[in-house]
Amino acid sequence: MGKSIQELINKALERKEERIRSHKFSPSSLGKCYRAQFYNRKDEPVSNPIEDRVLRVFKAGNLFHEFVQDLLIADNPEAQKEVLIETEDFKGYADLVLADEVIDLKSQHSKAFWYRKNMTWKELEPKLLCNILQVVFYASNLGKDRARLVFISKDDLMIQEYPIEVKKWQETLNQEIGILKVVWEAQTLPKAIPRAYPDKNGKFAECGYCSWRDSCFKLEGWGIPKK
């Protein structure tokens, strides 16, 4: 008897993760811990590799992502998908580029999706900072004044859309990029300060998802956190 289907899936996703690094900052990491962004560009060996389950979650999200992406392209013949945006320090791909707008697609499980439904934009902004900076980076580099975040519920294909004013966030983006450039040019390890994924109490949950969590905690003398 050959390998189980589960084994085949896990192996296929594992191979997909073995990609060539660009040795540049990733737009999708903007707004996160500066140390994590530094490690990512430096291709620092990870202490917490992505687990099989997380890879499967990512793949499921990609399937929904591609479905919605193709629908939007069919409805907007001038639209382009996965547009390469590369500068001296950054490299990434814009999900969808229209004539006057850049759209970034994000899939989520229904619990997170519906939790956000009744929140005001003021409440949402700090929780979506990473997503906002990413899509503003793409729009800014493409000379677009408009951007949009589109969230997809993976349970039922419900959609939430948030228009983003590029000019409003330009200064915040410039400050973020400026700090990263200084850090990289100095080749000085930044402080470990989580800045992403605030929970309901305002505590940042970023460390729990970090690929360098254990090595970072060990370096800081914080001890390895329990799983």
Side-chain angles (χ1 to χ4, degrees), residues 81-222:
K81 67 177 182 178
E82 301 302 323
V83 176
L84 172 63
I85 311 296
E86 187 168 12
T87 68
E88 182 180 354
D89 296 288
F90 287 84
K91 182 178 180 180
Y93 294 85
D95 286 343
L96 280 163
V97 177
L98 280 62
D100 60 350
E101 182 183 29
V102 175
I103 298 175
D104 200 56
L105 303 172
K106 303 291 183 186
S107 60
Q108 290 191 323
H109 60 77
S110 60
K111 184 177 180 180
F113 186 91
W114 293 110
Y115 169 75
R116 195 173 52 241
K117 183 180 179 181
N118 295 319
M119 297 179 69
T120 66
W121 180 244
K122 185 177 180 180
E123 293 171 321
L124 279 172
E125 277 188 336
K127 297 181 180 297
L128 301 181
L129 179 62
C130 298
N131 305 142
I132 293 171
L133 291 180
Q134 180 183 5
V135 73
V136 168
F137 174 86
Y138 295 142
S140 177
N141 278 276
L142 289 169
K144 309 292 185 183
D145 294 327
R146 297 169 53 200
R148 194 186 341 165
L149 288 176
V150 176
F151 289 88
I152 310 162
S153 170
K154 287 187 285 188
D155 288 352
D156 51 16
L157 273 177
M158 291 297 292
I159 298 292
Q160 290 172 348
E161 302 181 54
Y162 301 100
I164 306 296
E165 297 179 37
V166 174
K167 290 182 179 179
K168 176 183 175 181
W169 290 95
Q170 190 66 60
E171 184 177 351
T172 303
L173 174 64
N174 291 343
Q175 290 175 349
E176 177 89 359
I177 292 174
I179 291 172
L180 288 170
K181 284 186 175 182
V182 168
V183 163
W184 186 253
E185 290 171 3
Q187 284 296 292
T188 301
L189 187 65
K191 292 182 179 180
I193 304 176
R195 306 161 59 221
Y197 314 132
D199 60 22
K200 61 182 179 180
N201 298 314
K203 182 179 179 181
F204 295 104
E206 181 178 356
C207 293
Y209 303 98
C210 183
S211 297
W212 300 276
R213 181 195 62 190
D214 289 358
S215 59
C216 184
F217 274 50
K218 185 177 180 181
L219 178 63
E220 296 296 329
W222 296 338

Side-chain angles (χ1 to χ4, degrees), residues 7-23:
E7 288 175 319
L8 291 172
I9 290 173
N10 291 348
K11 194 64 178 178
L13 297 179
E14 181 182 309
R15 287 196 298 269
K16 189 175 180 181
E17 279 299 297
E18 297 170 357
R19 61 189 187 279
I20 299 174
R21 302 295 303 172
S22 69
H23 298 289

Side-chain angles (χ1 to χ4, degrees), residues 60-74:
N62 287 340
L63 294 174
F64 283 89
H65 180 284
E66 291 169 5
F67 173 70
V68 175
Q69 198 175 43
D70 289 343
L71 283 177
L72 286 168
I73 288 177

Side-chain angles (χ1 to χ4, degrees), residues 10-52:
N10 291 348
K11 194 64 178 178
L13 297 179
E14 181 182 309
R15 287 196 298 269
K16 189 175 180 181
E17 279 299 297
E18 297 170 357
R19 61 189 187 279
I20 299 174
R21 302 295 303 172
S22 69
H23 298 289
K24 295 187 176 185
F25 289 118
S26 172
S28 63
S29 294
L30 289 166
K32 297 181 181 179
C33 173
Y34 291 119
R35 178 175 292 182
Q37 295 190 68
F38 180 85
Y39 275 158
N40 187 52
R41 180 171 184 178
K42 205 171 182 64
D43 201 14
E44 181 76 11
V46 302
S47 59
N48 302 80
I50 300 176
E51 298 175 353
D52 287 344

